[in-house]
Amino acid sequence: MAATKASKEQKYDRQLRLWGDHGQEALENAHVCLINASASGTEILKNLVLPGIGAFTIVDGHKVSGEDVGNNIGRVSNVTSLCYTIVISNPCLHNRAQAATELLQELNSDVSGNFVEESPDKLLDNDPEFFHRFSLVIGVQLPEGTCLRLGSVLWNANVPFLVCRTYGLTGYMRLVVKEHTVVESHPDNALEDLRLDQPFAELKSHIQSYDLEGMEKKDHIHTPWIIIVAKYLEKWFSDHNFQLPKNYKEKEAFRQLIRQGILTKENGTPEDEENFEEAIKNVNTALNPTKISSIVEDIFNEEQCNDITAQTPAFWVLARAVREFVQNEGGGNLPLRGSIPDMIADSEKFINLQNVYREKAMQDASVVSKHVESLLQSVGKTSESISEQDIKLFCKNAAFLRVVRCRSLAEEYGAETVNKDEITSSMDGADGEMVLYLMLRSVDRFYQQHSRYPGVYDYQVEEDISRLKLCVHSLLQEYGLNVNVKDDYIHELYVWPHVQLVIKIITRQFVPFNNTFIYNAMSQTSATFQL
Amino acid sequence: MADVEEPMAVDGEHMGSGDWDGRWNHVKKFLERPGPFTHPDFEPSTESLGFLLETCKILVIGAGGLGCELLKNLALSGLRHIHVIDMDTIDISNLNRQFLFRPKDVGRPKADVAADFVNNRIPGCQVVPHFKKIQDFDESFYRQFHIIVCGLDSVIARRWMNGMLISLLSYEDGVLDPSSIIPLIDGGTEGFKGNARVILPGMTACIDCTLELYPPQINFPMCTIASMPRLPEHCIEYVRMLQWPKDTPFGDGVCLDGDNPEHIQWVFQRAQERAANYNITGVTYRLTQGVVKRIIPAVASTNAVIAAACSTEVFKIASSAYIPLNNYLVFNDVDGLYTYTFEAERKENCSACSQVPQDLQFPPSAKLQEVLKYLTENASLQMKSPAITATLEGKNKTLYLQTIASIEERTRPNLCKTLKELGLSDGQELAVADVTTPQTVLFKLKLTS
């Protein structure tokens, strides 16, 4: 049943307001693979199917068991379990992959679901390239060996890999992606790009058009605060050798200067000029020198940015084009963002001022566009390969670009390359989430040695505790880690899978964590580590 | 949980109707084994599972984004006696996250459809739906529950629920009787942000103790909307607030209904016209709908996360197996994944839970209007449309009431009268009723000189 465009817009309305139509398009063009339709696995998929991921494929060789149906405790709940119940009469006839696929399909007819009734190990043996077709692979509760094998295949094929594990009351997620670039990071509380410290020519002449001293009262009280600050800055510059107010004292003096500009009534008391109050309030941030953040500078200095070839992804071509702009026409500045915040002003004054910024931003973007064109030409590609829309979006977000790079699993697990510093320093708070990480790694070893997880059967608990302790100690020894893992943690472990990460990777909006996330449901705390 | 190849031996004790091998194995592991992080009072036993399955009664408020997730989680945890209240019907825009609903259910009550879904798919679970407002029920209804979990979309409703549970508390000789406490677990989400908190009424911080955490909604100043629009939003608000009441495009007394596409289309077109007059760009249908309905963006994943946190707490409290969250969790996944847990503190003079009578200080020459303004604007009170009554000359007199038109008209002149003119004296008790609380709040009037 194909949904009409209108009904899809209605259905997805609440999420379109977060990532826009282009974000939704990226989601609908994606195909993710889930390995193991367990509770966490199907929960993750549910949260991808509901917002309309293009397609999913479940890889799972298991049959449905009574446990799957009864399933896990609250936080990791399995929508497919709701439906397993109706097939419980002959559970051994139903494989998990198929059951999960059918039930997830029910949630959203826009999504196409597939399944492969096979263990991942078999696929890795016979057809590792099977995994190359996916936008992202999610591996749930994979034993260490399988995880590392798969990790290596995906790393070489540049397919992002998300490892998820839940055990007792602990949740674990590991993102493995070589390089993930983000243009629309949507930062909270971003500073405005007003250029008051170095007004561009058009802004200067627009400011000139105002005569604060000579204008009528009705215009005075409706002049945008940006103009007010700019005017008084001119005054300040001429008295202070063209230096911005730098410290608290100077900024305070500057605020006073503005305050003196407020009109007075006949009886000498000041008029109620909200725009002047806005100007005074914004002095703190408005006078920040315009500069490029170190994150963006680093991006400009990356090798990817220097060596543009026909294979270079669009992000790096654009970054290079912007860099060229910065070093030439931009005079050391990024292309103007072009937006201004709302402020007390009459409509005409505000719109005119807004247009000054918008037009300059468009101009800067078209200069960047020329750089893009010549870069593309230099490697034999047409200018159509990067759209004007993408160039504009890139320029608007130039100050917020982000690049996330994760270490491979091989590096994390290797005795020579393990991140000892991160582990030891995070162990200082001995009750922290890092302990849970070490516990999970130890549990993996246990599985490798005993082909089962510790404490599955009641009668095993006591002996398994000591076996697990041995695993912990051998792990710590192998890595040369001089840390102490309290016995308490060896006794107790639990989850929290999370899907938003997948959406971030696919839409390239918002910033993913780098690279390990641990959740402790007992204390309801969490931490991120870079391992 | 770990992938187990063989089925486990079953403990026959709790095989109710519809139970099968291994169904509750996961849950049993938590309840039947002690651990260093379990609650000091917890005694692992096979009886805990019995309580969870047979006796524990939970109320879920809201069957929307959080509610659907909560119902699923609680039912799969083994809780069988669940009630759910929701006054809404299903809309197509719910389907991207409220997964108990299908396209064919659009228009039906959320509570009913959610209950049907869970009852049909989870054997033994008995969800009882209530297609009602929370205010339609009284103390006798709420008293029957062991734990109440909220997935609400309004601060007012939260405060009302908060007030209701506080009114159920009983004190003996000034000491709180713990058996009268019904834990309230409250979750909220907005885009990629969310929070979950545990409230033990009378013991921990309540909703009103931390009212400042919910900043009041910012509305555009009227002069901007009426004569100096700058943003597309201003144009939309103009049409909604000024042009619609004037033009009554769909008939006299027909209010703007944000869910009616014809209404939104009308607002959209007029807003575009207004924007064109001022050279303002950016009015779209989507923006129009967003402004009129005050839409908050939402996705499945944030709701899943917060509901999971809330359900974990329900499980912990219902089973006494672990120490509950103490007491506020904040979640944000815009940049990376961030959680922060802290203990919100009780406010000494909280108007809802402190039992300390609130003071109102005004000079006798102050007008009643000023008292009203204080009640609505004060950050700790944030009342919506308070009704003020006082006992004068032995009789209960309504000084001002907004919500009933005839009484509003009759008492309106009092707003311009001074407290002295109204006959109020120092130390006088004023009873204030408001949507934010099920019980009237008593204030003590202190007349300053």
Side-chain angles (χ1 to χ4, degrees):
Chain A
M1 180 193 87
T4 63
K5 189 167 187 298
S7 72
K8 269 170 80 169
E9 266 208 46
Q10 283 180 295
K11 179 164 73 167
Y12 298 137
D13 179 84
R14 300 299 186 269
Q15 69 205 37
L16 292 174
R17 290 167 194 277
L18 286 168
W19 54 65
D21 297 313
H22 56 296
Q24 185 65 28
E25 202 184 315
L27 204 54
E28 292 180 14
N29 287 331
H31 185 174
V32 297
C33 174
L34 168 71
I35 305 178
N36 282 333
S38 64
S40 346
T42 47
E43 176 74 21
I44 294 173
L45 266 195
K46 150 181 156 283
N47 293 329
L48 287 171
V49 166
L50 286 170
I53 193 116
F56 66 86
T57 296
I58 297 180
V59 170
D60 193 333
H62 296 98
K63 299 269 183 272
V64 175
S65 77
E67 264 201 7
D68 288 319
V69 187
N71 179 34
N72 293 6
I73 302 171
R75 33 247 161 277
V76 187
S77 292
N78 181 351
V79 74
T80 59
S81 293
L82 299 181
C83 312
Y84 280 162
T85 59
I86 50 177
V87 302
I88 194 54
S89 47
N90 257 314
C92 50
L93 291 184
H94 289 83
N95 67 74
R96 268 192 341 190
Q98 182 173 13
T101 302
E102 281 168 16
L103 304 166
L104 284 165
Q105 281 275 209
E106 239 199 79
L107 295 176
N108 191 346
S109 53
D110 298 339
V111 177
S112 59
N114 316 282
F115 65 92
V116 173
E117 198 194 334
E118 190 64 271
S119 82
D121 283 306
K122 278 265 170 56
L123 279 172
L124 286 167
D125 289 335
N126 301 329
D127 179 25
E129 280 168 30
F130 167 81
F131 294 104
H132 290 194
R133 77 195 68 179
F134 299 112
S135 323
L136 185 147
V137 174
I138 305 163
V140 175
Q141 311 291 63
L142 292 177
E144 184 176 312
T146 314
C147 214
L148 289 171
R149 279 182 79 194
L150 184 56
S152 156
V153 167
L154 297 176
W155 183 263
N156 293 329
N158 274 320
V159 174
F161 183 26
L162 177 62
V163 180
C164 295
R165 197 172 280 136
T166 75
Y167 198 84
L169 281 164
T170 302
Y172 164 88
M173 285 199 291
R174 167 63 151 100
L175 173 65
V176 192
V177 62
K178 252 188 215 162
E179 178 184 283
H180 178 76
T181 57
V182 182
V183 175
E184 292 177 273
S185 53
H186 298 283
D188 272 336
N189 305 319
L191 288 176
E192 304 281 349
D193 185 18
L194 301 177
R195 306 289 168 101
L196 283 169
D197 59 328
Q198 36 179 301
F200 45 94
E202 296 85 342
L203 180 58
K204 260 207 193 114
S205 71
H206 185 73
I207 295 167
Q208 292 290 69
S209 71
Y210 280 83
D211 173 15
L212 283 179
E213 275 84 29
M215 59 171 59
E216 289 181 26
K217 179 172 154 187
K218 72 168 169 62
D219 288 318
H220 201 262
I221 61 176
H222 290 127
T223 296
W225 72 253
I226 288 179
I227 302 287
I228 296 172
V229 170
K231 283 287 195 191
Y232 282 92
L233 200 54
E234 280 173 6
K235 281 202 175 77
W236 178 277
F237 273 162
S238 59
D239 291 338
H240 289 83
N241 200 23
F242 297 93
Q243 297 291 314
L244 282 172
K246 284 193 202 51
N247 49 41
Y248 178 78
K249 201 167 140 196
E250 289 185 346
K251 284 188 178 172
E252 192 51 36
F254 186 68
R255 279 189 277 261
Q256 276 305 104
L257 194 63
I258 297 178
R259 192 168 284 290
Q260 283 164 27
I262 296 179
L263 297 174
T264 48
K265 300 192 223 192
E266 275 165 13
N267 60 11
T269 56
E271 287 278 10
D272 190 12
E273 296 207 75
E274 276 186 74
N275 55 336
F276 272 76
E277 296 298 339
E278 272 189 337
I280 290 165
K281 207 171 65 159
N282 279 289
V283 160
N284 247 344
T285 48
L287 299 182
N288 285 345
T290 304
K291 70 177 176 118
I292 302 178
S293 78
S294 56
I295 294 180
V296 176
E297 286 284 11
D298 287 344
I299 290 176
F300 288 156
N301 292 329
E302 293 263 9
E303 206 182 294
Q304 296 266 46
C305 207
N306 279 324
D307 306 324
I308 305 293
T309 70
Q311 281 73 46
T312 303
F315 178 90
W316 294 106
V317 176
L318 287 161
R320 173 62 176 273
V322 170
R323 190 181 89 182
E324 298 292 328
F325 173 88
V326 170
Q327 289 167 352
N328 296 293
E329 301 88 347
N333 290 327
L334 292 169
L336 186 69
R337 197 175 312 155
S339 58
I340 58 173
D342 189 26
M343 60 192 74
I344 304 281
D346 64 52
S347 311
E348 198 180 326
K349 291 189 181 61
F350 179 82
I351 300 295
N352 288 341
L353 180 61
Q354 190 179 58
N355 284 337
V356 168
Y357 280 87
R358 279 186 179 173
E359 275 155 27
K360 176 69 171 146
M362 280 197 320
Q363 257 178 51
D364 284 357
S366 63
V367 174
V368 170
S369 191
K370 296 236 162 43
H371 285 291
V372 171
E373 200 179 316
S374 74
L375 281 166
L376 288 173
Q377 268 175 20
S378 74
V379 293
K381 295 178 93 166
T382 64
S383 53
E384 271 87 51
S385 44
I386 298 182
S387 73
E388 281 304 312
Q389 208 184 13
D390 284 343
I391 297 173
K392 285 204 176 95
L393 193 65
F394 197 90
C395 288
K396 202 169 104 163
N397 286 280
F400 312 127
L401 306 171
R402 298 284 290 272
V403 178
V404 173
R405 289 201 179 87
C406 304
R407 299 205 319 152
S408 69
L409 287 177
E411 286 173 282
E412 176 186 343
Y413 281 61
E416 308 298 310
T417 47
V418 62
N419 194 341
K420 278 165 76 160
D421 285 343
E422 180 89 336
I423 296 176
T424 348
S425 61
S426 309
M427 286 293 291
D428 278 345
D431 282 317
E433 280 72 25
M434 180 52 78
V435 182
L436 297 175
Y437 168 76
L438 293 173
M439 285 314 309
L440 286 172
R441 292 287 309 273
S442 308
V443 165
D444 271 345
R445 298 219 152 179
F446 188 104
Y447 185 88
Q448 268 186 320
Q449 287 169 22
H450 305 277
S451 297
R452 62 175 177 81
Y453 287 102
V456 171
Y457 296 96
D458 285 347
Y459 67 83
Q460 295 170 328
V461 174
E462 277 305 320
E463 286 177 22
D464 278 358
I465 288 177
S466 31
R467 289 190 185 114
L468 191 54
K469 271 194 200 167
L470 287 174
C471 292
V472 175
H473 292 133
S474 84
L475 178 78
L476 295 178
Q477 227 182 4
E478 186 182 311
Y479 285 147
L481 289 170
N482 198 8
V483 295
N484 194 21
V485 176
K486 286 201 259 190
D487 275 3
D488 289 349
Y489 284 92
I490 302 180
H491 290 229
E492 191 74 62
L493 273 204
Y494 180 85
V495 177
W496 202 31
H498 182 51
V499 120
Q500 198 44 42
L501 180 72
V502 175
I503 295 184
K504 287 184 188 181
I505 299 284
I506 290 171
T507 61
R508 291 188 179 268
Q509 295 186 40
F510 307 95
V511 185
F513 64 86
N514 183 0
N515 55 33
T516 299
F517 179 80
I518 306 256
Y519 168 66
N520 180 342
M522 283 179 289
S523 57
Q524 299 268 31
T525 53
S526 70
T528 303
F529 303 111
Q530 207 163 350
L531 297 171
Chain B
M1 196 40 215
D3 299 319
V4 183
E5 297 300 345
E6 308 135 0
M8 288 160 56
V10 161
D11 165 3
E13 265 184 61
H14 300 289
M15 294 281 273
S17 66
D19 277 347
W20 52 83
D21 275 15
R23 185 177 188 192
W24 303 116
N25 284 343
H26 300 291
V27 178
K28 280 162 73 174
K29 282 204 188 67
F30 284 94
L31 298 180
E32 293 172 9
R33 294 185 192 172
F37 297 112
T38 52
H39 197 288
D41 297 337
F42 177 63
E43 296 219 6
S45 79
T46 51
E47 277 152 26
S48 307
L49 183 63
F51 170 72
L52 267 192
L53 294 180
E54 308 308 330
T55 317
C56 191
K57 216 162 173 184
I58 308 282
L59 173 63
V60 175
I61 304 191
L66 279 172
C68 286
E69 298 278 348
L70 285 168
L71 286 171
K72 151 181 72 79
N73 294 345
L74 297 174
L76 288 171
S77 305
L79 293 153
R80 289 191 163 144
H81 303 287
I82 304 172
H83 285 235
V84 61
I85 301 176
D86 195 305
M87 64 186 201
D88 263 337
T89 54
I90 298 164
D91 178 70
I92 184 172
S93 66
N94 298 149
L95 302 178
N96 79 328
R97 63 202 184 282
Q98 298 172 25
F99 64 93
L100 300 179
F101 313 141
R102 298 285 174 270
K104 64 173 170 51
D105 299 320
V106 172
R108 288 183 61 201
K110 289 188 180 184
D112 293 345
V113 179
D116 279 348
F117 189 108
V118 176
N119 291 339
N120 284 336
R121 312 253 200 159
I122 302 188
C125 193
Q126 297 150 32
V127 178
V128 178
H130 302 278
F131 175 36
K132 291 218 158 83
K133 304 200 293 290
I134 50 176
Q135 291 88 353
D136 293 333
F137 298 97
D138 63 16
E139 305 92 56
S140 59
F141 174 78
Y142 290 108
R143 219 185 279 279
Q144 63 179 303
F145 298 103
H146 294 99
I147 304 173
I148 297 182
V149 203
C150 289
L152 286 165
D153 59 359
S154 117
V155 177
I156 295 177
R158 280 184 175 86
R159 292 178 69 185
W160 192 94
M161 203 58 233
N162 185 61
M164 168 55 72
L165 294 186
I166 289 169
S167 73
L168 295 179
L169 297 174
S170 67
Y171 292 81
E172 280 168 32
D173 299 324
V175 176
L176 177 59
D177 170 15
S179 68
S180 66
I181 300 176
I182 299 179
L184 174 65
I185 298 170
D186 180 64
T189 64
E190 198 174 302
F192 294 137
K193 302 181 188 175
N195 58 69
R197 62 190 300 184
V198 172
I199 295 173
L200 301 172
M203 285 179 64
T204 63
C206 79
I207 301 274
D208 282 51
C209 290
T210 55
L211 211 47
E212 290 88 20
L213 288 177
Y214 304 104
Q217 188 173 51
I218 300 182
N219 293 314
F220 304 117
M222 193 41 96
C223 57
T224 301
I225 295 177
S227 51
M228 274 190 306
R230 296 176 298 266
L231 303 179
E233 288 87 341
H234 299 158
C235 303
I236 297 165
E237 285 287 76
Y238 173 86
V239 177
R240 179 181 78 87
M241 297 174 74
L242 298 173
Q243 201 170 341
W244 179 285
K246 205 163 60 105
D247 291 2
T248 58
F250 291 83
D252 253 342
V254 175
C255 291
L256 172 52
D257 174 8
D259 290 319
N260 185 329
E262 279 180 39
H263 288 201
I264 298 290
Q265 185 65 26
W266 189 91
V267 174
F268 169 50
Q269 277 165 352
R270 303 289 164 312
Q272 273 185 317
E273 283 164 24
R274 182 169 175 80
N277 288 339
Y278 291 89
N279 292 316
I280 297 172
T281 58
V283 176
T284 61
Y285 185 91
R286 189 180 288 167
L287 184 69
T288 304
Q289 206 183 24
V291 171
V292 169
K293 291 180 67 170
R294 299 283 195 263
I295 289 179
I296 294 176
V299 282
S301 52
T302 316
N303 284 324
V305 166
I306 294 299
C310 290
S311 324
T312 303
E313 293 309 311
V314 172
F315 182 81
K316 285 183 188 173
I317 293 175
S319 63
S320 304
Y322 290 89
I323 300 172
L325 168 68
N326 183 18
N327 55 40
Y328 201 114
L329 165 80
V330 169
F331 168 78
N332 183 335
D333 71 343
V334 171
D335 187 340
L337 262 185
Y338 172 75
T339 70
Y340 175 62
T341 307
F342 68 99
E343 185 180 340
E345 286 178 4
R346 278 189 89 177
K347 212 197 247 168
E348 264 179 47
N349 58 345
C350 174
S351 58
C353 76
S354 69
Q355 296 199 297
V356 168
Q358 305 288 298
D359 273 351
L360 281 178
Q361 282 193 13
F362 287 96
S365 57
K367 304 213 172 79
L368 186 63
Q369 177 74 61
E370 288 169 54
V371 177
L372 201 75
K373 190 167 167 198
Y374 175 79
L375 291 172
T376 50
E377 289 180 9
N378 177 279
S380 316
L381 294 173
Q382 291 187 46
M383 294 194 167
K384 295 298 155 197
S385 45
I388 311 173
T389 55
T391 310
L392 291 166
E393 288 153 14
K395 284 202 287 237
N396 221 5
K397 186 172 171 192
T398 304
L399 296 175
Y400 183 68
L401 190 148
Q402 206 174 323
T403 48
I404 300 173
S406 55
I407 305 182
E408 198 280 326
E409 229 183 291
R410 182 168 58 77
T411 55
R412 201 186 306 153
N414 288 341
L415 290 177
C416 301
K417 294 199 181 137
T418 65
L419 302 180
K420 188 168 169 210
E421 281 169 350
L422 289 167
L424 300 170
S425 48
D426 184 41
Q428 173 108 43
E429 243 183 26
L430 294 177
V432 180
D434 186 55
V435 289
T436 50
T437 161
Q439 291 197 303
T440 47
V441 184
L442 289 176
F443 289 87
K444 221 181 178 84
L445 185 61
K446 286 246 162 76
L447 291 180
T448 57
S449 46

